């Protein structure tokens, strides 16, 4: 039996090595590191503790390392005593320093080495939230202009040499566990958002940053667990109170590979800023892109923002015009989708054997949200929710196809309401629709909806929606694997299918 998390003999330590040479940078504006001749200077986004009683030497150096842009941070998993008084001369961050902090600043022991270390570095800014003297502090008013390079952060996983770290991320097929990687991406994106929004004025109360959505997380190639992996990101676009962060996962290719592109996965995270006292939206620092790549990414962010606003307006106008009822064109589409489903319901013996009802693909799991799954705000960590949703979606695709699915992308994630410790959370999944036009790469689109259920109040609210796309190994269809078509049986199911298809077409930019 494992000892409790606070056992000094087996508490895992995470060390970031600031003196290690950064790996050779990948040729991409987001991931580029400075040349050895270029000095790395501390940026204005450095977060300093304001409570001297909580400040330790390792924390000071830790914050300095994380606030340095462009520097690849090697992640090492090891075991040692947190009370060892003879630290390694190269160690810059020691997770055991968290034991000297108030319990409310340490979210638990559930998280991966990366989320542990990132949250420990970010915790200094939240010390201001717990300081009673800051209750009446003024909001952060001064708006700065920052470059994307000032928020750029990357983390290196040394899988080829660190056996313990590799085992933490290995799945049954010797690839990287996508669910754990989603946690790390969300944690790193949050750190990047904090770096962009913070300033050096510690007399003001800090902003609260909330994950609003994730768009188009695309896996371009399988992630191997036997070689180094790097995740990197930077702020690429900002609105008045919203921030878009582009994340990239890169991995070197084997010598016999035809691919020269090291980028294996990309994702866009959207955060919104809130005043930590009033909860209202708050302005964020401006962004000044410099390179051609940064300007191009900023323009793409602007285009996505205009498209989101346009879609909202069109939906609002269509709803007002129809008086809450479906328009004629939509009615026809719904009828077409429902035609086969009606046969299943009314004449099952005559139904197409190559099709199946959406409701017959459902899977579900439930859990009570525990303190070990919370973030520094005291709410359930968004990366944990994505992790659980991904694993249910994978299981749904596996049970539907009868063959191990291959993950392709997270099309969209909406964070509609926060999830608190103690909430009864239910994940419900289904195969929403399939795309079988390409026999070599059939697509299975999975919907996962997370509900916060309160039995004592007899209420259930949607907290998150997730849309995942899977396919199968190219050899599977050649060996006779046949994937069935999925059809809705109710108007509500048909409407969800149409909305998802339309949204997918709209955001293919």
């Amino acid at each position: 039996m494992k000892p409790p998390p606070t056992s000094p003999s087996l508490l895992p330590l995470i060390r970031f090595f600031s003196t290690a040479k950064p790996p050779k940078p990948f040729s991409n504006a987001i991931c580029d590191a400075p040349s050895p001749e270029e000095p790395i200077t501390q940026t204005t986004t450095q977060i300093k503790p304001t409570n001297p009683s909580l400040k330790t030497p390792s924390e000071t150096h830790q914050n300095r390392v994380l606030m340095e842009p462009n520097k690849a941070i090697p992640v090492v998993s090891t075991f040692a005593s947190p009370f060892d008084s003879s630290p390694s001369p190269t160690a810059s961050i020691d997770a055991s320093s968290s034991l000297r902090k108030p319990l409310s600043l340490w979210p638990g022991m559930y998280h991966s080495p990366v989320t542990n270390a990132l949250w420990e570095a970010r915790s200094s800014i939240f010390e201001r939230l717990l300081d009673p003297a800051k209750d009446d502090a003024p909001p952060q008013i001064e708006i700065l202009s920052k470059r994307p390079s000032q928020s750029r952060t990357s983390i290196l996983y040394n899988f080829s040499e660190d056996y313990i770290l590799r085992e933490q991320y290995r799945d049954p097929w010797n690839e990287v566990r996508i669910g754990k990687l989603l946690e790390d991406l969300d944690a790193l994106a949050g750190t990047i958002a904090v770096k962009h929004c913070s300033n050096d004025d510690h007399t003001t109360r800090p902003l609260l940053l909330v994950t609003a959505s994730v768009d188009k997380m695309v896996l371009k190639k399988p992630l191997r667990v036997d070689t180094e992996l790097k995740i990197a990101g930077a702020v690429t676009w900002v609105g008045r109170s919203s921030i878009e962060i582009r994340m990239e996962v890169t991995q070197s290719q084997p010598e016999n590979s035809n691919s020269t592109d090291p980028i294996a996965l990309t994702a866009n995270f959207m955060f919104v800023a809130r005043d930590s006292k009033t909860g209202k939206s708050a302005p964020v620092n401006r962004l000044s892109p410099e390179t051609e790549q940064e300007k191009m990414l900023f323009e793409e962010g602007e285009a996505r923002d205009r498209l989101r606003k346009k879609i909202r307006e069109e939906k609002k106008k269509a709803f007002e015009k129809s008086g809450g009822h479906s328009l004629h064109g939509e009615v026809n589409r719904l009828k077409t989708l429902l035609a086969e489903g009606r046969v299943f319901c009314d004449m099952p013996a005559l139904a197409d054997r190559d099709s199946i009802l959406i409701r017959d693909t459902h899977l579900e799991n439930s859990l009570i949200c525990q303190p070990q799954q919370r973030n520094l705000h005291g709410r359930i960590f968004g990366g944990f929710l994505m992790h659980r949703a991904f694993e249910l979606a994978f299981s749904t695709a596996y049970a539907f196809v009868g063959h191990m699915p291959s993950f392709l992308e997270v099309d969209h994630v909406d964070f509609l309401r926060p999830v608190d410790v103690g909430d009864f959370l239910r994940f419900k999944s289904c195969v929403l629709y399939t795309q079988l036009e390409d026999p070599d790469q059939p697509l299975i689109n999975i919907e996962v909806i997370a509900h916060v259920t309160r039995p004592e109040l007899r209420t259930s609210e949607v907290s998150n929606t997730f849309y995942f796309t899977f396919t199968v190994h190219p050899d599977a269809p050649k060996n006779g694997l046949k994937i069935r078509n999925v059809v809705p049986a109710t108007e509500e199911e048909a409407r969800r299918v149409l909305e998802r298809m339309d949204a997918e077409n709209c955001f293919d930019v």
Side-chain angles (χ1 to χ4, degrees):
M1 185 174 68
K2 291 185 178 179
T6 54
S7 170
S9 60
L10 290 177
L11 182 70
L13 304 180
I14 302 105
R15 301 184 186 274
F16 284 5
F17 293 90
S18 62
T19 58
K21 263 191 177 180
K24 186 177 180 181
F26 297 110
S27 56
N28 184 276
I30 293 294
C31 298
D32 278 352
S35 64
E37 295 80 14
E38 180 182 348
I40 300 178
T41 58
Q42 184 174 327
T43 73
T44 57
T45 56
Q46 180 178 357
I47 304 167
K48 300 177 181 178
T50 57
N51 189 336
S53 66
L54 299 175
K55 186 176 178 182
T56 66
S58 65
E59 290 172 80
T60 304
H61 195 62
Q62 169 186 358
N63 291 328
R64 177 172 60 79
V65 171
L66 274 181
M67 293 306 106
E68 289 175 345
N70 306 339
K71 189 164 187 176
I73 306 170
V75 179
V76 178
S77 177
T78 184
F79 292 89
S81 167
F83 303 107
D84 187 353
S85 58
S86 55
S88 165
T90 60
S92 60
I93 296 180
D94 191 335
S96 64
S97 65
S98 63
L99 294 178
R100 305 184 188 101
K101 291 182 178 291
L103 185 61
S104 57
L105 287 176
W106 188 237
M109 295 302 298
Y110 171 84
H111 317 290
S112 74
V114 173
T115 55
N116 261 348
L118 288 173
W119 287 2
E120 170 69 5
R122 262 194 274 166
S123 68
S124 60
I125 196 170
F126 291 97
E127 290 170 5
R128 285 192 275 162
L129 295 176
L130 300 181
D131 187 352
K134 297 296 181 184
D135 288 347
D136 297 322
Q140 184 174 307
I141 297 176
E142 183 184 8
I143 303 299
L144 307 176
S145 182
K146 294 191 175 183
R147 303 182 303 277
S149 59
Q150 290 178 269
S151 66
R152 188 170 296 136
T153 309
S154 59
I155 294 179
L156 180 69
Y157 301 73
N158 191 14
F159 287 140
S160 62
E161 297 179 7
D162 192 330
Y163 174 80
I164 295 174
L165 186 68
R166 182 166 70 246
E167 284 301 297
Q168 287 179 289
Y169 284 82
R170 185 171 65 88
D171 73 5
W173 301 278
N174 288 315
E175 294 179 356
V176 174
R177 287 182 65 185
I178 298 297
K180 285 189 71 68
L181 194 63
L182 294 180
E183 291 188 11
D184 294 354
L185 286 165
D186 186 63
L188 181 55
T191 293
I192 291 169
V194 168
K195 289 173 67 174
H196 178 80
C197 293
S198 62
N199 59 24
D200 287 331
D201 185 359
H202 299 297
T203 64
T204 62
R205 57 178 183 264
L207 297 175
L208 291 182
L209 295 160
V210 181
T211 310
S213 64
V214 181
D215 284 319
K216 282 293 181 187
M217 186 180 294
V218 181
L219 183 66
K220 299 181 178 180
K221 61 192 76 173
L223 295 172
R224 294 152 48 220
V225 78
D226 60 348
T227 189
E228 282 71 17
L229 187 77
K230 182 179 179 181
I231 59 175
V235 176
T236 54
W237 175 86
V238 297
R240 179 189 172 275
S241 60
S242 54
I243 308 162
E244 187 173 274
I245 297 169
R246 180 175 173 84
M247 306 294 294
E248 293 183 348
V249 177
T250 52
Q251 190 170 56
S252 57
Q253 297 300 301
E255 294 181 0
N256 58 355
S257 173
N258 295 326
S259 174
T260 58
D261 185 3
I263 298 176
L265 184 146
T266 59
N268 292 317
F269 282 75
M270 183 68 72
F271 284 76
V272 292
R274 297 283 183 263
D275 186 284
S276 58
K277 186 176 181 180
T278 66
K280 296 181 179 179
S281 64
V284 297
N285 292 327
R286 303 296 91 198
L287 190 69
S288 299
E290 295 179 314
T291 68
E292 290 303 315
Q293 174 78 354
E294 290 170 352
K295 292 176 181 176
M296 182 191 72
L297 291 173
F298 187 88
E299 291 172 359
E300 289 178 357
E302 283 279 2
R304 280 188 290 271
D305 183 61
R306 288 194 297 267
L307 183 57
R308 280 189 290 266
K309 291 177 179 176
K310 181 181 177 182
I311 292 173
R312 284 197 298 267
E313 285 297 318
E314 288 179 351
K315 283 185 176 180
K316 183 179 177 182
K317 289 178 181 178
F319 183 81
E320 292 173 349
K321 184 178 179 181
S322 65
H325 300 287
S326 299
L327 296 176
H328 180 69
E330 187 181 1
V331 169
N332 290 336
R333 295 174 70 196
L334 288 172
K335 284 182 177 179
T336 302
L337 266 180
L338 284 167
E340 185 62 32
R342 297 298 186 198
V343 176
F344 268 93
C345 296
D346 300 336
M347 297 167 284
L350 302 178
D352 184 359
R353 297 300 99 186
D354 291 331
S355 297
I356 187 173
L357 292 176
I358 288 177
R359 69 187 182 199
D360 292 332
T361 68
H362 281 190
L363 288 181
E364 179 178 343
N365 61 31
S366 305
L367 60 101
I368 302 296
C369 298
Q370 304 295 334
Q372 293 77 16
Q373 296 147 5
R374 74 189 189 277
N375 61 18
L376 288 168
H377 298 293
R379 296 233 165 96
I380 299 304
F381 172 39
F384 168 77
L385 299 174
M386 286 197 288
H387 186 170
R388 293 299 297 260
F390 172 82
E391 294 196 342
L392 180 60
F394 185 94
S395 302
T396 305
Y398 202 168
F400 172 72
V401 175
H403 193 279
M404 189 190 76
S406 297
F407 169 69
L408 289 179
E409 67 179 47
V410 182
D411 187 66
H412 189 77
V413 179
D414 278 322
F415 292 83
L416 304 175
R417 70 176 300 277
V419 181
D420 294 315
V421 172
D423 279 350
F424 176 23
L425 194 63
R426 303 177 68 184
F427 289 92
K428 300 180 181 181
S429 69
C430 69
V431 180
L432 196 59
Y433 61 97
T434 55
Q435 295 168 273
L436 309 178
E437 295 81 8
D438 184 355
D440 295 328
Q441 192 180 55
L443 302 181
I444 303 101
N445 296 273
I446 308 292
E447 176 190 68
V448 180
I449 302 178
H451 298 258
V452 173
T453 303
R454 301 184 187 278
E456 65 276 13
L457 300 177
R458 297 194 300 173
T459 62
S460 182
E461 295 181 88
V462 174
S463 64
N464 303 81
T465 59
F466 307 84
Y467 297 99
F468 300 91
T469 303
F470 294 86
T471 187
V472 293
H473 192 276
D475 292 337
K478 297 175 184 177
N479 294 332
L481 177 70
K482 192 168 185 179
I483 297 176
R484 301 169 79 177
N485 188 37
V486 179
V487 294
T490 66
E491 186 173 319
E492 188 269 336
E493 288 178 342
R495 199 180 305 279
R496 279 160 46 203
V497 173
L498 289 179
E499 287 178 355
R500 190 68 236 134
M501 288 179 170
D502 291 344
E504 191 176 84
N505 294 332
C506 284
F507 282 99
D508 271 343
V509 295

